[in-house]
Amino acid sequence: MAFHSHIHRDPNGTYTFSSRPRPVENRSKYREAPPEQTQGNYGNIMYDRRVVRGNTYAQQFIPTAAQPDAAEMEMQQEIRRRAIARKRAREQSGPKTPEALQGRQHIDVQTELYLEELSEAIVGTDVDCQTDAFLDRPASPLFIPAKSGTDVETQIEDGELFNFDSEVQPVLEVLVGKTIEQSLLEVLEEEELACLRAQQRAYQELRNIELAEVQRLQEQERRHSEERVHRIAQQKEVLEKEREAAEKIAARAYTQQYLADLVPAVFKSLYSHGYFNDPVEKDIETNFFPWLMAEVNNTLERRYTARQLLDNIIHDVAKERLEGFKEAKSDE
Amino acid sequence: MSRDLGAAPGPRRAPVAFGRWAVPRLFDELQRPDSSSRHEALESLCDLMRDPERLYQTVNGGFLEQLKVLLADDDASVRRETVELLHLLCGHSVGRQALLASSLLPPLAQLLDDSSSSCRTNVQRVLNRLALLPAGADALLALVPKLMLKLEEEEEEEEEVQVLLLSTLSRCSRLNALPALASDGVSLVGRKLSHRCTSVRREAAAAMMALSVPEDGKRQVCEEEVLPVVVALLQDDDVEVQANAAGVVMYTVVITAGKYQCLDLGVVPVLLHLVSRKEEEEEEDEERRRRRKALVVYSLRALTSLAEAPDGRRLLREQLPLLEERSQAAEKDGDVRRAAQTAVSTVTWTP
């Protein structure tokens, strides 16, 4: 069965049901398998068994009690059971009244004590109504809803309304405070910068001063050292000159001394070399001495010859003697 | 609370997204080819960059590379706005470091020759701020010759540009003065010393002081006949100009040529006048007294160096009481006292 209804339980417990309008389906007598029922099985509502027909006020009505008692329930069940049993019994009981003969007719007859009029016509009464002549519609009464809720009242006391002058005070303080704070910061920054600059300038000045002093002292030192070097050089020169002078003097003295006995030395030397010749001596030298030497030579020559002879004689004698001895030895 | 953008009057600004999406969205808008939207986005970014938090977010988000494209844009106002954005970035150390780490310096340097003068001014401002960082000054040393050229060209231009240029040059030269000296810095800056505007004179004197630190610079200062102008500046109205001029003198008299030139110019009485107490007692303001301190100490050092020359020593020996007054314990400032004591000892030294 296609579900058109929608049951929903809200989270806070309320129960809602909604469904799309749908035509009433024909209910068959016998239960069929539910899925096999088609949708085209809509029946005419006029011929639906479930719809009540006709007058409704003369029919049996269902008890309005929502919850019948258990005893009543039992009673009703008993009645139902009995009705079913009766029905069964009636169907089972075979013999019924036979059919009426021809020309005769069976009629139901009341045999109770008090006769009751049976009629198909239901007692009805006619009631009619008639509207009155049109009256003017009265004015709708003023809708005054019933009083609901609690009464509350309020009153603006003095001083509760927004007072600008007092409310603006903190805001203004903040604004002014912030602005002044900012400007103070900026002034401080500028002062700091000025301080830094002043310090830089002081440092520069000090540096310049010290640099000048250093340069002056350097210059002084340089000058002094230059001066010193110059003076030392000068001194050296002086010393050098003095030394040279002393040397010159010494040399002169020595030379003088040397030259003093140069002349006799020269003469002596010349004399010794024979540049001054004495004729007698020369004569002796040239004439006498060669002859003398020759004579000496001769004498020596003779002597030598004599010695030689002697040597030869000795030698011969010795040799003879040696031979004599040899012979003597060999004879032994 | 007060940092939120209101409906500010002026050029139209791009709408700013809320919270942490503000900066990335604006940078996305910059990518679009529409020039006016870029202009508006840049305006909004400039406003936002005043907040350190957003600046930090910009720097860390790596958005700087996108600015590189914008620096070469056709529209001059876009370029100007981009450089102004970089200028705001350089106000913080993280920004400066990020700028140095990124490769934005070469295109920025090219913008020095830009056709729009406001753009050039902004570039000068960026470079000026960048030179505050030692690493930045180091990076800018390569640009010093170009800056010197600019200085030479800027004859009749506004003083602000000259002031910025000179200030950048002096900061770079404090790190290393050799590039500036090599580009003939002394004569260029010397010409600016007699400018009519006080700030130009002040910055020129500061630059000259930085230039005269190395030996080469001192010699150039003596050769280029800059000293007469400097000595004239010692009697200027502005204390800072005087202080810087005294600094130049202080460095230059270290070498002998400087000593004799200055003695010839009669600088000793001027310096003594500056050192004297009487004028300082008139100054009641703490700030000005502090500024005078630099002047006083520089003058004392210059006198010390001058006392090493016999002529100077002779002159100063006559004025010894004045110096001694400064070296007494009555002098509140320790540096001044020490400087005066050194001066006194140098003057009274005998070989």
Side-chain angles (χ1 to χ4, degrees), chain B residues 149-182:
Chain B
L149 275 173
K150 281 276 151 193
L151 191 64
E152 211 173 324
E153 287 166 11
E154 306 261 355
E155 285 302 333
E156 309 300 323
E157 298 253 357
E158 324 98 60
E159 291 140 4
E160 194 196 343
V161 181
Q162 292 200 20
V163 169
L164 286 169
L165 262 175
L166 285 166
S167 161
T168 318
L169 277 170
S170 67
R171 280 175 196 157
C172 289
S173 306
R174 251 173 237 149
L175 201 67
N176 185 2
L178 296 175
L181 282 172

Side-chain angles (χ1 to χ4, degrees), chain A residues 89-143:
Chain A
R90 214 181 315 125
E91 282 173 10
Q92 278 178 4
S93 66
K96 288 192 178 150
T97 48
E99 297 279 345
L101 291 169
Q102 202 168 16
R104 291 187 179 211
Q105 205 180 5
H106 284 303
I107 295 179
D108 289 328
V109 169
Q110 288 184 19
T111 51
E112 286 101 15
L113 202 58
Y114 297 102
L115 294 174
E116 193 180 314
E117 185 191 337
L118 299 175
S119 111
E120 294 279 333
I122 300 178
V123 176
T125 50
D126 285 322
V127 174
D128 56 26
C129 75
Q130 169 77 38
T131 59
D132 292 333
F134 280 123
L135 294 171
D136 287 334
R137 184 171 176 281
S140 27
L142 209 57
F143 178 59

Side-chain angles (χ1 to χ4, degrees), chain B residues 83-223:
Chain B
V83 180
E84 201 174 310
L85 192 68
L86 287 175
H87 177 241
L88 285 168
L89 272 176
C90 282
H92 291 256
S93 180
V94 255
R96 281 196 287 264
Q97 281 167 348
L99 191 62
L100 283 174
S102 75
S103 55
L104 280 173
L105 274 180
L108 201 65
Q110 277 178 351
L111 278 179
L112 271 174
D113 299 320
D114 197 66
S115 48
S116 147
S117 72
S118 53
C119 189
R120 284 201 298 264
T121 319
N122 277 350
V123 174
Q124 294 294 349
R125 285 204 197 107
V126 171
L127 291 178
N128 197 27
R129 271 198 181 170
L130 204 58
L132 281 170
L133 197 65
D138 207 19
L140 286 179
L141 279 176
L143 276 178
V144 163
K146 195 159 179 187
L147 289 174
M148 304 293 305
L149 275 173
K150 281 276 151 193
L151 191 64
E152 211 173 324
E153 287 166 11
E154 306 261 355
E155 285 302 333
E156 309 300 323
E157 298 253 357
E158 324 98 60
E159 291 140 4
E160 194 196 343
V161 181
Q162 292 200 20
V163 169
L164 286 169
L165 262 175
L166 285 166
S167 161
T168 318
L169 277 170
S170 67
R171 280 175 196 157
C172 289
S173 306
R174 251 173 237 149
L175 201 67
N176 185 2
L178 296 175
L181 282 172
S183 330
D184 200 19
V186 172
S187 58
L188 269 173
V189 176
R191 265 182 267 152
K192 301 289 173 194
L193 280 173
S194 41
H195 203 268
R196 58 184 184 281
C197 171
T198 315
S199 10
V200 176
R201 282 203 301 265
R202 187 184 65 225
E203 293 297 334
M208 188 60 86
M209 186 159 76
L211 283 176
S212 59
V213 167
E215 180 96 30
D216 204 15
K218 292 195 240 277
R219 265 187 294 112
Q220 280 192 19
V221 166
C222 293
E223 285 164 19

Side-chain angles (χ1 to χ4, degrees), chain A residues 183-199:
Chain A
S183 39
L184 260 178
L185 274 174
E186 286 182 8
V187 166
L188 276 175
E189 272 180 23
E190 279 174 20
E191 246 190 59
E192 194 181 327
L193 276 175
C195 257
L196 280 173
R197 266 196 218 112
Q199 196 189 27

Side-chain angles (χ1 to χ4, degrees), chain A residues 209, chain B residues 234-235 239 242-243 246-247 249-250 267-283 289 291-306 316 319-328 331-333 335-344 347:
Chain A
I209 292 159
Chain B
L234 279 172
Q235 287 157 335
V239 173
Q242 283 177 320
V249 172
M250 167 178 83
V267 79
V268 171
V270 181
L271 288 173
L272 283 169
H273 177 70
L274 288 170
V275 165
S276 73
R277 274 283 196 121
K278 294 184 272 303
E279 207 171 301
E280 190 176 282
E281 276 162 10
E282 291 166 14
E283 304 279 350
R289 201 176 300 163
R291 272 191 251 162
R292 266 197 84 82
K293 176 194 158 186
L295 180 60
V296 165
V297 187
Y298 289 165
S299 315
L300 279 170
R301 290 270 183 242
L303 286 169
T304 315
S305 299
L306 281 170
L316 283 169
Q319 301 289 339
L320 201 54
L322 193 65
L323 287 173
E324 287 200 334
E325 198 188 313
R326 277 287 184 180
S327 67
Q328 296 311 325
E331 178 62 47
K332 289 184 281 279
D333 202 338
D335 298 322
V336 178
R337 198 168 49 230
R338 265 181 284 130
Q341 279 166 357
T342 329
V344 167
V347 170

Side-chain angles (χ1 to χ4, degrees), chain A residues 175 178 182 186 198 201 204-213 215-216 219-220 223-224, chain B residues 1-3 174 209 213 218 240 250-251 254 259 294 297-298 301 304-305 308 335 342 346 349:
Chain A
L175 273 173
K178 279 272 180 222
Q182 193 66 36
E186 286 182 8
R201 197 182 8 227
Q204 276 289 341
E205 286 165 11
L206 204 63
R207 179 179 174 267
N208 284 335
I209 292 159
E210 296 304 324
L211 195 61
E213 183 67 16
Q215 283 189 342
R216 182 186 74 86
E219 186 65 27
Q220 197 185 42
R223 268 204 326 262
H224 283 186
Chain B
M1 195 162 104
S2 62
R3 286 211 194 275
R174 251 173 237 149
M209 186 159 76
V213 167
K218 292 195 240 277
E240 300 222 8
M250 167 178 83
Y251 279 120
V254 171
K259 283 208 236 295
V297 187
Y298 289 165
R301 290 270 183 242
T304 315
S305 299
E308 306 218 329
D335 298 322
T342 329
T346 324
W349 177 78

Side-chain angles (χ1 to χ4, degrees), chain A residues 51-275:
Chain A
V51 177
V52 164
R53 272 211 172 35
N55 293 327
T56 52
Y57 50 80
Q59 289 192 358
Q60 280 193 353
F61 51 87
I62 306 161
T64 54
Q67 190 74 277
D69 297 335
E72 267 191 66
M73 281 280 295
E74 267 185 39
M75 228 166 61
Q76 280 184 12
Q77 276 176 15
E78 195 58 44
I79 294 167
R80 263 188 241 126
R81 251 184 267 132
R82 254 186 246 142
I84 292 166
R86 223 181 293 133
K87 211 184 224 176
R88 218 181 284 133
R90 214 181 315 125
E91 282 173 10
Q92 278 178 4
S93 66
K96 288 192 178 150
T97 48
E99 297 279 345
L101 291 169
Q102 202 168 16
R104 291 187 179 211
Q105 205 180 5
H106 284 303
I107 295 179
D108 289 328
V109 169
Q110 288 184 19
T111 51
E112 286 101 15
L113 202 58
Y114 297 102
L115 294 174
E116 193 180 314
E117 185 191 337
L118 299 175
S119 111
E120 294 279 333
I122 300 178
V123 176
T125 50
D126 285 322
V127 174
D128 56 26
C129 75
Q130 169 77 38
T131 59
D132 292 333
F134 280 123
L135 294 171
D136 287 334
R137 184 171 176 281
S140 27
L142 209 57
F143 178 59
I144 297 174
K147 179 170 168 308
S148 69
T150 49
D151 267 341
V152 177
E153 59 181 57
T154 177
Q155 168 81 13
I156 304 243
E157 307 291 336
D158 275 333
E160 277 189 2
L161 278 177
F162 179 74
N163 184 8
F164 179 73
D165 289 331
S166 62
E167 294 301 326
V168 83
Q169 191 70 17
V171 177
L172 200 60
E173 273 176 22
V174 168
L175 273 173
V176 172
K178 279 272 180 222
T179 318
I180 291 185
E181 195 184 311
Q182 193 66 36
S183 39
L184 260 178
L185 274 174
E186 286 182 8
V187 166
L188 276 175
E189 272 180 23
E190 279 174 20
E191 246 190 59
E192 194 181 327
L193 276 175
C195 257
L196 280 173
R197 266 196 218 112
Q199 196 189 27
Q200 269 182 342
R201 197 182 8 227
Y203 172 74
Q204 276 289 341
E205 286 165 11
L206 204 63
R207 179 179 174 267
N208 284 335
I209 292 159
E210 296 304 324
L211 195 61
E213 183 67 16
V214 162
Q215 283 189 342
R216 182 186 74 86
L217 287 172
Q218 263 179 350
E219 186 65 27
Q220 197 185 42
E221 192 58 40
R222 189 189 65 83
R223 268 204 326 262
H224 283 186
S225 68
E226 220 182 87
E227 189 69 25
R228 206 187 353 248
V229 163
H230 190 60
R231 292 250 173 104
I232 287 174
Q234 241 180 13
Q235 197 69 10
K236 268 207 190 123
E237 238 182 72
V238 163
L239 279 173
E240 186 75 23
K241 278 214 167 81
E242 274 183 20
R243 194 174 58 82
E244 243 184 77
E247 268 184 14
K248 271 192 183 148
I249 291 169
R252 183 169 294 189
Y254 178 70
T255 321
Q256 265 185 355
Q257 185 197 5
Y258 184 69
L259 287 175
D261 47 318
L262 181 67
V263 172
V266 163
F267 270 119
K268 203 186 311 178
S269 154
L270 275 176
Y271 190 69
S272 67
H273 277 109
Y275 285 98

